[in-house]
Amino acid sequence: MKKLCIIVISPILLWLSACITNRIEHDITFEQVKVFETAKDFSAIRVLPTLLKLNPVDSSIHLYFQDLKSNKLFSCSLTKDSLVPNNDLDFANTAPYYSYFIKSSDSIFVYHNEPGKLELLNKSGTIIKEYPVDTMYVPVANPPSGLVWDRNSILMGYASKTKRFQSNEERHIYYNEVEPLIRLSISDTILSYQLIGKFPVSYAKNGDSFYGVMPSVCCGKDNDICLSYEADNNLYLYHDTTLILTKPVKSLYIDKFNPYPDEKRFDMLFLQDYLIGEPKYKKIVYDPYDSLYYRIVKHRAKKTKEGKMRSSYSVIILDSNLTVLDEIKLGADLFPEVFIPTPFGILMEKESAMQPGNAVLTLQKLMRNDK
């Protein structure tokens, strides 16, 4: 009987310990304040990053998107009460959504991986300036490392021209010797370069592949740069090139990460199941209005009654020092592919009640009742 008590009590004590060390007790929820039912289906829409500026005339902000079905870019005017889609961007040749940064209403950066060059365009697609990239460097625009704006510079993923990535031995060397991030600083028509960061110890230890090597990046308080890797529990905070903080930020809904087997490299069906089924830290987002970080978590997918794989999501909420405040599991009708902190709340994607199968946007307010 005594042995049985120990077996029963031990998991409870471990759970309590995890709660005490990893969570500060808060009652935090997302509360829906508005649903924007429009004719546009947002289920195949991706966000183009921009610096949000409040219009003093009508208290609106402009958001920018790309429709993956048509490849067209468009903007929306958002207020606390309305969302109005506009067809005001007229690009003849469009790049993928992760290659854009909208600097202003008529000033748009686009990066081309091959050949490496950064272009500044107007909203009609006319090139204003062109910045060729030195062939010594290989910046990479690719999810989750799209273009991020930082003090008149662009942050992007970085790849080595000389290091291979095919085997565990090669990846071990790669992770230990290659910086994952590059800053392209813009001056007239010239770029200067700065390599930033290190890959996680958890990646370098065995040289595993998780089929997603680049970090998600955001600029936070005091121009610090926060890095989040898809298959690593830690968050990393840099100021310029200096690592100032490494913080364990593990999701309650992730048990482990399974590495991608090299022998399945060309098995597309296995890859599809792996990408859907495996848990991931999808992205890191900074909210300048509440001075909070949000780490978006994709859970391990489960099969539905129809035999389809379906993922659920949660959001880890952290203060500006990366202290975890809470982790909120999102409802089955909320999808964080769109997750934009605004002055009016957080804009997310939601299944449409009026048009089943379509998605609309919703404003969610973060409600905090400290105990």
Side-chain angles (χ1 to χ4, degrees):
M1 184 67 183
K2 184 177 181 182
K3 190 174 182 180
L4 178 61
C5 289
I6 293 171
I7 293 171
V8 171
I9 292 170
S10 295
I12 296 173
L13 292 175
L14 288 171
W15 177 81
L16 286 171
S17 174
C19 289
I20 292 167
T21 57
N22 294 327
R23 296 292 181 267
I24 297 174
E25 288 297 326
H26 284 269
D27 182 18
I28 304 179
T29 57
F30 284 119
E31 184 175 296
Q32 181 172 283
V33 293
K34 194 74 178 178
V35 176
F36 303 108
E37 289 278 0
T38 69
K40 188 172 285 291
D41 177 14
F42 279 86
S43 57
I45 301 298
R46 294 296 179 267
V47 179
L48 306 184
T50 186
L51 298 175
L52 299 185
K53 297 177 181 177
L54 195 67
N55 186 329
V57 177
D58 59 2
S59 296
S60 68
I61 58 174
H62 264 72
L63 306 171
Y64 297 86
F65 302 91
Q66 183 177 50
D67 187 329
L68 298 188
K69 293 179 180 177
S70 66
N71 233 22
K72 289 184 178 179
L73 310 186
F74 67 96
S75 74
C76 290
S77 298
L78 174 71
T79 70
K80 64 178 182 178
D81 298 313
S82 67
L83 179 82
V84 181
N86 307 308
N87 292 309
D88 56 349
L89 300 175
D90 187 26
F91 285 90
N93 298 302
T94 53
Y97 67 94
Y98 45 80
S99 300
Y100 286 104
F101 185 87
I102 311 295
K103 189 179 180 187
S104 70
S105 60
D106 193 33
S107 182
I108 304 167
F109 281 112
V110 59
Y111 182 77
H112 302 277
N113 282 329
E114 294 182 6
K117 63 178 178 179
L118 184 69
E119 293 177 340
L120 182 64
L121 314 174
N122 65 21
K123 67 179 181 181
S124 297
T126 302
I127 297 176
I128 302 169
K129 287 184 180 180
E130 186 174 293
Y131 308 87
V133 173
D134 190 316
T135 54
M136 287 180 58
Y137 299 95
V138 188
V140 178
N142 209 23
S145 289
L147 274 59
V148 175
W149 183 253
D150 175 46
R151 291 170 287 168
N152 207 41
S153 63
I154 295 285
L155 293 168
M156 300 172 60
Y158 180 70
S160 170
K161 292 188 71 172
T162 58
K163 301 285 191 302
R164 288 172 56 84
F165 201 78
Q166 301 304 310
S167 68
N168 289 83
E169 293 78 9
E170 290 169 343
R171 286 190 294 270
H172 179 76
I173 295 171
Y174 191 100
Y175 291 143
N176 280 288
E177 297 185 4
V178 177
E179 293 88 346
L181 197 65
I182 186 170
R183 176 188 279 130
L184 308 181
S185 296
I186 301 160
S187 176
D188 193 24
T189 56
I190 299 173
L191 296 176
S192 57
Y193 309 89
Q194 192 175 40
L195 299 179
I196 300 172
K198 286 186 174 295
F199 282 100
V201 173
S202 60
Y203 281 32
K205 182 179 179 181
N206 297 314
D208 288 329
S209 170
F210 297 97
Y211 218 90
V213 65
M214 298 297 181
S216 171
V217 178
C218 72
C219 294
K221 185 182 177 183
D222 300 326
N223 295 314
D224 292 339
I225 303 166
C226 190
L227 277 66
S228 171
Y229 292 85
E230 290 189 334
D232 180 65
N233 292 318
N234 293 323
L235 286 177
Y236 305 88
L237 206 59
Y238 284 81
H239 190 77
D240 293 325
T241 60
T242 303
L243 178 64
I244 58 175
L245 182 63
T246 299
K247 202 74 173 281
V249 181
K250 185 180 184 301
S251 171
L252 295 171
Y253 300 95
I254 291 183
D255 51 353
K256 64 176 181 176
F257 299 102
N258 294 313
Y260 192 85
D262 287 342
E263 63 272 17
K264 294 290 187 178
R265 192 181 308 150
F266 305 109
D267 188 335
M268 292 300 103
L269 288 177
F270 184 91
L271 173 60
Q272 181 179 331
D273 288 344
Y274 179 87
L275 293 178
I276 294 173
E278 275 295 298
K280 288 184 178 181
Y281 295 111
K282 293 289 287 183
K283 55 186 168 184
I284 186 73
V285 178
Y286 182 67
D287 183 346
Y289 310 103
D290 281 334
S291 298
L292 295 173
Y293 288 94
Y294 305 101
R295 195 178 201 188
I296 314 299
V297 184
K298 172 188 171 292
H299 305 167
R300 191 175 299 282
K302 297 179 180 179
K303 282 191 176 182
T304 64
K305 292 180 181 179
E306 296 77 22
K308 295 181 179 180
M309 298 289 281
R310 182 179 177 87
S311 292
S312 55
Y313 298 88
S314 59
V315 180
I316 303 175
I317 302 164
L318 310 103
D319 68 15
S320 57
N321 297 312
L322 300 184
T323 299
V324 175
L325 303 178
D326 210 339
E327 180 171 6
I328 301 173
K329 188 173 182 180
L330 297 181
D333 61 341
L334 278 176
F335 311 101
E337 195 64 59
V338 174
F339 193 96
I340 309 174
T342 77
F344 321 117
I346 298 171
L347 201 65
M348 284 194 239
E349 185 183 323
K350 178 184 174 74
E351 188 172 349
S352 173
M354 297 174 62
Q355 306 170 72
N358 287 2
V360 295
L361 298 184
T362 172
L363 269 179
Q364 302 279 326
K365 202 74 173 176
L366 198 67
M367 307 301 294
R368 290 182 281 185
N369 299 307
D370 294 357
K371 292 181 180 179

